[in-house]
Amino acid sequence: MKRILCKILFYNKANPVVAASLCFIGAYIGYLVWYILNHYLPASAADNSYVLVSLLSAWFCAFLGIYQLPDQLCMNRRIQTILCYPVEVRTILSVVGMRVFLLQSGICATFLYPFFLFEAHHRKEAALAMLFCCILTVALDIAVILFSILISRFCASDIVGYAFVVFQYGSFLILAWLAGNTVFSCFHKPGFLSDSAGVLKRYITGQSPAAMQGYELRSILWIWGAALTGMTVLMAVLKLAAKHWYVRGYLNVQSFRHRETEKQPSVSHIKHPYFLLEWKRVTRNKELIFFSNIKNIITVVILSRLLLHNFSQFGLKGTCVEELFLLMSCCSVNTISSTAYSSDDNKSCYAFLPIFGRRLFLWKTIQGFLWGEITVLLFWFILIGFERPPVMNTFLLLFYGTSMNYVCVWLGVCIDLKMPRIVNSTNELLHGNISKVIVLITAASLTVVEIILVGGKWVPIPLLPFACLAGAGVAAGEYGYWKFCKGDFYDTDS
Amino acid sequence: MIRRLLKSILGENFTENNAKLAAVNFGIILLMFVLSGIMLFFLPEQISILHSGTTYYPVPSVLGVWLFPVIALIVNLLFIWQNRLSKMNSAIFVILLAAMMVSYINMM
Amino acid sequence: MIQIHELSKSYGSRKIFDRVSCQMESGRIYALVGMNGIGKTTLLRAITQPECMDSGKVLIDHIESSIFESKYRLFYVPDSKEMFLNLTGREYLRFIIQLYRQKPEKAEILQRGLMGAFKLDGALDAYIANYSLGMKQKIYMAAALLSGAGNFILDEPFNGLDPESISTLKGILAERRDEGAMVLFSVHNLELARGFCDEVIQIDGEHNIMSAKEFNDYRWVSGETKATI
């Protein structure tokens, strides 16, 4: 029965080609990571690189759990259909939990198998590290499920969706901060990995017990005892919470999107039918607005801090490289444009209503552009407020931000038009959105090419005016494509 | 048999059009693997798979040469899972194939 | 008026229609009947969305359905009642009026009359998402009537409606028929079509389209008359 339930909930079934592909990908990535760490980590750290890999695989597992478990348990609309049947809550939880745990085990195995196979002297540590990762993952999964049930049950239906976004995104930020610090420590603090390995050996794996003193053995027993007791308590609480709160919580989350409101919605004065459609698509979907603005701003700040210092090596200090990257990133993570068609519940009606595909595309672009411009202006004000660039540069930066905003929005809408995604919740749509990644990669490539061309003296003008020209050129090209390639927008005679 | 395999990979998203697109994408990826295998005979022993500024990270070509096809395979699986099969995917894979060949030629 | 020429459609190896032709005249009401899964919705989709056909031609008021202009001549209400949930009833109706280029003043008067007949006046400013199934059906039907289109294609239009609303809807559609409009609706319950439709169109087990001119002839026609409309 669990297999059929799995098919109902996730619409997929095991396939030998996919399984073989995943095994091959896992084996390749695991080996590549192992090879790179062994050759490029500082010599003192390379011997204990399995600790870094264990931490990173635990990070990936936690990341997967934080996004997958709440999405599948509380937002999957297909659960509503099986709630009418005599299916126990614990069966649903075990089906979802086991699926995620299998994926997480695959991640742990992917990253740790080379240490097991190719480092005979680390075989025992690698096996125990894998076990440790799995136990840690299970504990984290239980905690995430518990939190999800509590949020869904005890948050009011008009805020429960935001509560999930804050929970998932807050956890992601904590994980990102932890991962960033771990990697930084590995490269810049020589003793970090060996110290961590020492702790692992001493307190978790209990290496050479004969050499240990009594208090150390007691510490090990305490740690393992506390971990097992903690797990048991968590499991018991989860069992109770699931039994009493899960179904009500799930229904509470389902009523978030199109909830009944006592007050009448304000009368809209928008006269233009296409603008009305687009405005309502965005403003009636609060998760989308949250994702497109607040979340993107935070992501851009973090990304810029993580990525920008690498560009100092291009020798272009003082040529607005950081500002360009910051503006480019904040333009390319626009979710409203990259989900323009996927988040439109009415798209199936456009085939038989007299709606011009080209005009709809234009209004989707305008909608995305307007929301994206808010972020651009915000960043522009922050930039000129904190860095006080020359007046000319100030206006050029605004022009660059605006043109890149149009470039990215157009590209996002176009990608989503050509390959829209079919999902059963906004959360599912916003997590793992490949269109956004393609836009980000394209925009970043454009900026890197501009930097290389100016840095290599291929272009005789400074970087900022050149970037503005290039941005405007690409934007004009995109507009021209929309204007003249009519057939690509599915209109027959418009 | 290929049709049955595609049917089982695509599941409920199986349509004639999706099957054709998935077959084309898998075909391009297979071609990437084959070309990478052939290029192994022409590439130097070590190739660079990553560089940050002026620092290069070379790996043996027998290991690094599969990076592009593996990335394409991951992207293809993501497209299939997200039910986003379209002609644009095939265009992306063709661009990736071209980028791969250009980078190999540069390394030779 | 809708003319279908040599329509073919198959799903994989399963043929639904193989070069079928028929014609539906203006000023008449047609009921489309047939077993579940026989192709009723496929036929309606083929008329309204030319991309759904494998081959063939559909003319709407003598304009090919692949030409954009033809979309102004018909209004399709699909069986799914999950459209435009993010708009209020009033916004949706205004959207349709603007889309179909209807005169606002004339449409306003008509809208008031329809809302009164369907008893929807109080719910116009609520989101369609919060409507019941019957209310959704009524608002989509009202939009069809406000669009000014001359051909109405309705998939299961009486689903979810109470007897009073069914009778109101039938009356309004009959009025439109008398003004020269063509109505084609799919239905399972034949009693709902009795005394209301002018012609019954049946899709038989071999996916042929057959018709009976009078509702009472329906029983004998299915075995003998083939694609004679």
Side-chain angles (χ1 to χ4, degrees):
Chain A
M1 190 188 85
K2 282 188 178 173
R3 193 171 286 181
I4 297 173
L5 210 55
C6 200
K7 206 176 158 188
I8 295 170
L9 293 181
F10 310 114
Y11 277 5
N12 60 2
K13 50 184 175 181
N15 176 274
V17 176
V18 175
S21 304
L22 288 179
C23 287
F24 173 72
I25 292 168
Y28 178 74
I29 290 176
Y31 187 79
L32 190 67
V33 170
W34 173 77
Y35 182 90
I36 290 174
L37 288 182
N38 269 296
H39 283 78
Y40 295 110
L41 266 185
S44 57
D47 192 45
N48 293 309
S49 55
Y50 73 94
V51 179
L52 171 66
V53 172
S54 312
L55 292 174
L56 284 182
S57 54
W59 184 89
F60 274 114
C61 293
F63 177 77
L64 192 76
I66 280 162
Y67 278 100
Q68 281 286 311
L69 288 169
D71 279 9
Q72 296 300 346
L73 275 176
C74 303
M75 287 155 212
N76 189 342
R77 281 187 215 160
R78 293 170 201 137
I79 289 178
Q80 205 157 12
T81 58
I82 54 170
L83 283 181
C84 330
Y85 298 101
V87 178
E88 284 188 62
V89 168
R90 67 167 180 210
T91 314
I92 300 173
L93 290 188
S94 69
V95 165
V96 175
M98 273 314 285
R99 184 175 179 265
V100 175
F101 181 66
L102 279 176
L103 284 170
Q104 291 168 327
S105 312
I107 291 174
C108 291
T110 291
F111 283 110
L112 285 161
Y113 89 91
F115 296 92
F116 193 76
L117 287 183
F118 308 118
E119 290 187 14
H121 60 290
H122 276 145
R123 198 158 280 170
K124 190 180 165 199
E125 282 97 329
L128 283 163
M130 212 182 293
L131 183 70
F132 171 69
C133 282
C134 288
I135 293 173
L136 187 70
T137 302
V138 171
L140 272 172
D141 284 353
I142 296 173
V144 169
I145 296 175
L146 197 59
F147 260 113
S148 304
I149 293 175
L150 292 177
I151 289 172
S152 60
R153 178 65 189 91
F154 295 107
C155 286
S157 65
D158 52 350
I159 59 157
V160 68
Y162 309 133
F164 268 106
V165 173
V166 170
F167 167 56
Q168 288 178 306
Y169 193 58
S171 311
F172 165 73
L173 287 181
I174 293 170
L175 282 176
W177 176 75
L178 282 174
N181 277 344
T182 310
V183 174
F184 179 83
S185 305
C186 287
F187 282 92
H188 297 282
K189 291 182 186 168
F192 174 75
L193 276 183
S194 52
D195 290 352
S196 307
V199 170
L200 202 72
K201 280 174 190 166
R202 199 172 268 259
Y203 292 106
I204 309 296
T205 67
Q207 185 103 331
S208 58
M212 282 187 183
Q213 293 176 358
Y215 75 92
E216 284 180 324
L217 267 173
R218 275 200 301 278
S219 311
I220 293 168
L221 286 176
W222 267 108
I223 288 172
W224 279 104
L228 288 174
T229 315
M231 291 269 280
T232 317
V233 171
L234 268 178
M235 286 287 269
V237 175
L238 176 65
K239 202 174 166 188
L240 274 175
K243 192 175 170 190
H244 297 288
W245 297 327
Y246 175 71
V247 177
R248 271 172 185 261
Y250 173 79
L251 296 174
N252 189 33
V253 175
Q254 292 307 302
S255 64
F256 169 72
R257 183 130 195 244
H258 292 302
R259 57 190 173 274
E260 296 273 353
T261 44
E262 281 185 16
K263 60 174 186 191
Q264 292 277 32
S266 55
V267 179
S268 157
H269 296 289
I270 300 168
K271 291 272 187 280
H272 197 287
Y274 292 84
F275 187 57
L276 174 78
L277 265 187
E278 280 309 297
W279 181 252
K280 286 284 171 173
R281 171 178 73 84
V282 177
T283 54
R284 268 289 269 173
N285 197 341
K286 305 283 193 306
E287 291 140 298
L288 200 60
I289 297 180
F290 184 91
F291 259 78
S292 306
N293 292 292
I294 304 161
K295 200 184 137 175
N296 288 349
I297 292 169
I298 301 169
T299 309
V300 168
V301 171
I302 290 169
L303 268 182
S304 60
R305 285 181 66 87
L306 281 173
L307 295 175
L308 283 177
H309 72 272
N310 282 335
F311 287 91
S312 57
Q313 296 175 51
F314 278 103
L316 291 161
K317 203 77 187 150
T319 50
C320 298
V321 175
E322 293 189 2
E323 288 82 353
L324 288 188
F325 258 88
L326 209 62
L327 280 168
M328 180 278 297
S329 322
C330 88
C331 291
S332 55
V333 290
N334 187 331
T335 319
I336 289 173
S337 62
S338 61
T339 60
Y341 287 88
S342 306
S343 66
D344 194 343
D345 295 335
N346 305 319
K347 60 180 176 287
S348 58
C349 312
Y350 300 156
F352 54 82
L353 285 173
I355 289 179
F356 289 100
R358 279 182 67 236
R359 258 187 240 172
L360 189 67
F361 183 92
L362 175 72
W363 282 99
K364 282 189 184 293
T365 315
I366 290 172
Q367 190 68 224
F369 180 81
L370 291 176
W371 287 97
E373 198 62 15
I374 297 173
T375 325
V376 170
L377 284 174
L378 201 69
F379 266 93
W380 183 68
F381 280 124
I382 293 169
L383 277 176
I384 56 169
F386 281 90
E387 300 205 353
R388 298 193 183 283
V391 181
M392 188 61 185
N393 282 7
T394 308
F395 287 104
L396 283 175
L397 277 173
L398 181 62
F399 182 79
Y400 175 79
T402 306
S403 59
M404 277 310 277
N405 185 21
Y406 182 81
V407 168
C408 294
V409 164
W410 191 96
L411 194 63
V413 177
C414 189
I415 291 171
D416 205 45
L417 165 75
K418 297 290 178 188
M419 38 184 213
R421 189 177 172 191
I422 299 158
V423 287
N424 64 47
S425 74
T426 309
N427 253 31
E428 205 179 307
L429 180 71
L430 298 170
H431 297 153
N433 181 7
I434 210 165
S435 310
K436 198 161 84 173
V437 179
I438 296 174
V439 176
L440 185 64
I441 290 172
T442 314
S445 310
L446 180 69
T447 313
V448 169
V449 168
E450 286 161 2
I451 293 171
I452 290 171
L453 286 177
V454 174
K457 310 281 181 214
W458 299 91
V459 178
I461 53 174
L463 179 63
L464 190 54
F466 177 64
C468 288
L469 275 177
V474 177
E478 288 177 342
Y479 183 78
Y481 186 82
W482 172 82
K483 186 88 184 155
F484 300 111
C485 298
K486 294 175 179 177
D488 279 5
F489 298 95
Y490 304 133
D491 279 344
T492 45
D493 60 345
S494 56
Chain B
M1 187 182 144
I2 292 175
R3 194 184 157 80
R4 220 174 49 214
L5 267 178
L6 286 171
K7 210 166 192 170
S8 96
I9 292 171
L10 293 170
E12 53 136 20
N13 301 325
F14 179 85
T15 59
E16 288 297 312
N17 194 36
N18 276 357
K20 207 160 56 186
L21 290 166
V24 170
N25 293 351
F26 273 116
I28 298 171
I29 291 163
L30 202 65
L31 185 68
M32 286 173 87
F33 274 104
V34 172
L35 285 175
S36 300
I38 295 170
M39 289 309 286
L40 261 180
F41 296 104
F42 305 101
L43 287 169
E45 205 147 288
Q46 297 264 317
I47 56 170
S48 172
I49 56 162
L50 179 76
H51 71 89
S52 125
T54 47
T55 322
Y56 285 82
Y57 296 95
V59 294
S61 56
V62 75
L63 178 63
V65 86
W66 309 113
L67 191 61
F68 268 107
V70 164
I71 290 172
L73 187 61
I74 295 171
V75 173
N76 189 33
L77 289 178
L78 282 175
F79 280 140
I80 289 173
W81 283 330
Q82 296 193 354
N83 188 20
R84 303 188 95 157
L85 286 166
S86 77
K87 282 178 190 162
M88 194 146 175
N89 309 152
S90 310
I92 290 172
F93 291 127
V94 171
I95 292 170
L96 213 55
L97 176 69
M100 180 184 88
M101 289 314 290
V102 169
S103 70
Y104 288 162
I105 291 165
N106 278 339
M107 286 171 199
M108 270 161 69
Chain C
M1 179 181 172
I2 291 176
Q3 295 154 292
I4 299 172
H5 294 294
E6 310 256 307
L7 167 73
S8 296
K9 171 75 191 171
S10 40
Y11 292 114
S13 55
R14 196 174 142 234
K15 265 207 161 85
I16 304 293
F17 295 116
D18 186 18
R19 297 169 63 198
V20 298
S21 302
C22 62
Q23 181 172 317
M24 282 151 260
E25 301 286 348
S26 299
R28 291 187 78 77
I29 296 177
Y30 296 86
L32 179 64
V33 298
M35 289 186 299
N36 291 334
I38 203 81
K40 294 190 296 293
T41 301
T42 305
L43 179 69
L44 299 186
R45 274 209 200 123
I47 295 171
T48 53
Q49 299 161 49
E51 303 83 21
C52 293
M53 293 187 283
D54 290 341
S55 67
K57 199 160 78 172
V58 174
L59 299 177
I60 296 154
D61 290 344
H62 305 293
I63 304 171
E64 242 186 81
S65 63
S66 56
I67 295 171
F68 194 82
E69 188 59 31
S70 70
K71 289 190 177 183
Y72 292 103
R73 309 296 179 103
L74 69 82
F75 197 101
Y76 174 46
V77 180
D79 56 346
S80 159
K81 301 293 173 261
E82 299 292 305
M83 302 181 296
F84 300 102
L85 302 183
N86 53 349
L87 301 184
T88 64
R90 195 182 299 282
E91 284 166 349
Y92 171 60
L93 294 181
R94 199 172 64 208
F95 168 69
I96 291 294
I97 291 165
Q98 288 171 335
L99 213 56
Y100 280 81
R101 301 168 181 166
Q102 294 298 298
K103 285 195 178 116
E105 302 80 25
K106 200 179 142 198
E108 180 68 40
I109 298 165
L110 187 58
Q111 181 181 320
R112 233 176 282 145
L114 284 171
M115 291 304 101
F118 285 133
K119 299 196 173 103
L120 269 182
D121 318 59
L124 265 185
D125 288 318
Y127 281 111
I128 296 178
N130 298 339
Y131 282 14
S132 68
L133 177 65
M135 286 161 82
K136 281 180 192 163
Q137 187 76 274
K138 286 181 200 172
I139 200 85
Y140 298 136
M141 294 312 301
L145 298 162
L146 281 170
S147 70
N151 301 284
F152 300 107
I153 316 285
L154 315 171
D155 202 350
E156 302 284 350
F158 303 117
N159 270 5
L161 292 186
D162 56 67
E164 192 189 339
S165 305
I166 290 176
S167 143
T168 309
L169 179 61
K170 278 183 175 179
I172 296 172
L173 288 175
E175 264 175 42
R176 288 299 171 98
R177 180 258 322 266
D178 296 340
E179 288 165 13
M182 192 282 298
V183 180
L184 169 65
F185 68 98
S186 66
V187 67
H188 279 114
N189 184 353
L190 292 174
E191 282 308 308
L192 283 171
R194 185 184 290 278
F196 168 59
C197 68
D198 301 312
E199 234 167 273
V200 176
I201 295 177
Q202 196 211 5
I203 304 173
D204 74 358
E206 278 149 20
H207 304 285
N208 294 309
I209 299 178
M210 305 181 295
S211 84
K213 293 283 177 200
E214 298 300 328
F215 186 82
N216 291 336
D217 297 341
Y218 169 68
R219 236 172 303 145
W220 59 262
V221 122
S222 57
E224 305 196 0
T225 324
K226 274 198 169 182
T228 53
I229 332 172

